[in-house]
Amino acid sequence: MTTRILLVAISLLSIVACDRLPGRPLPDSQPLRPSAIKDFALLYSDNCAGCHGGEGVPGAAVALADPVYLAFIDDATLRRVTAGGVRGTAMPAFARSAGGTLTDEQIEILVTGMRSQWARPEALAGATPPPYATPPGDAARGIEAYATYCASCHGANGAGGAHGASVVDGSYLSLVSDQGLRTTVVVGRPALGMPDWRGGAKGAAMSEEEVADVVAWLRVQRPEFPGPPLDTPKAATTKGPGDG
């Protein structure tokens, strides 16, 4: 009887021990399916931070963690751009329905997470920003508006200055949409020292018309064929019989 009880006990211990065999993953260490990720911080770091940076950390594109940006754009537009991307730019579509990898629920988590994490009611200090989208401005007037508000940092011709990079570089302009240019002019790049449309402590606020005109001037600087010109090799000369 004692022997039988001992054998049963050993069998039970063996069954329990099988769950702790070397190399066997623990239940809480199993990887999540991509569609099962519901954490905002993880979704943002995996899909957005590479281009848009994080809080206080600049990226190549406009900062999504900027309260002024979040006051400038509404949820419907933010949701649409996140889901469908911006054609002709480096902004891809993230929604599965548009060829991306994120579910509609994950898109919603990103949009609501950005708003809850970084939006600040006091960000505009009572000011009203220019509307998100407007008809094209006037490029001729944009020259004067650029000289007034932008040239001190980006140079007289836009090719760069002591405090700002070139804004007429063909590669840059080919990667940013007209709306992207407008967004940058309105909300600025605070982590890089660029003020928003209000001009910062020493500047003056741009009018809605002046914002549109600067964007129109930048738009006409966009090359038809972006990128450096290719060197055209000289045609090889073949000499025939009797040629000198």
Side-chain angles (χ1 to χ4, degrees):
M1 185 67 179
T2 303
T3 303
R4 182 179 299 176
I5 294 174
L6 181 60
L7 290 174
V8 171
I10 292 174
S11 298
L12 291 173
L13 287 173
S14 298
I15 293 172
V16 173
C18 288
D19 289 336
R20 296 293 183 267
L21 290 175
R24 183 185 180 92
L26 298 174
D28 60 355
S29 68
Q30 297 292 332
L32 284 175
R33 289 179 291 107
S35 61
I37 297 174
K38 306 296 174 62
D39 179 68
F40 165 72
L42 184 56
L43 285 171
Y44 184 87
S45 64
D46 285 350
N47 298 281
C48 312
C51 291
H52 295 282
E55 191 167 8
V57 180
V62 66
L64 303 180
D66 178 12
V68 174
Y69 171 76
L70 292 172
F72 178 59
I73 190 171
D74 59 45
D75 283 356
T77 304
L78 186 57
R79 188 180 297 110
R80 173 178 55 79
V81 173
T82 304
V86 181
R87 182 172 296 182
T89 75
M91 173 66 186
F94 283 97
R96 284 183 171 182
S97 58
T101 61
L102 300 182
T103 65
D104 291 344
E105 182 182 8
Q106 289 172 319
I107 297 291
E108 193 63 28
I109 289 171
L110 281 171
V111 172
T112 57
M114 287 182 231
R115 188 72 65 189
S116 64
Q117 291 281 333
W118 299 316
R120 301 288 182 272
E122 70 280 5
L124 298 180
T128 301
Y132 182 79
T134 61
D138 182 272
R141 291 198 308 260
I143 297 173
E144 181 177 351
Y146 173 86
T148 301
Y149 298 103
C150 315
S152 61
C153 288
H154 295 286
N157 60 1
H163 304 290
S166 171
V167 292
V168 296
D169 179 80
S171 297
Y172 164 69
L173 290 173
S174 68
L175 290 172
V176 63
S177 67
D178 292 350
Q179 181 59 53
L181 291 171
R182 179 177 179 80
T183 297
T184 301
V185 172
V186 174
V187 308
R189 297 295 305 274
L192 300 178
M194 177 181 173
D196 59 39
W197 89 100
R198 292 170 291 185
K202 298 180 180 179
M206 299 176 72
S207 68
E208 178 182 332
E209 181 181 76
E210 288 169 328
V211 170
D213 291 344
V214 167
V215 172
W217 179 77
L218 290 170
R219 180 181 184 181
V220 300
Q221 313 307 313
R222 185 181 286 130
E224 183 179 1
F225 303 104
L230 297 176
D231 292 331
T232 304
K234 295 181 180 179
T237 302
T238 303
K239 294 184 179 181
D243 291 339

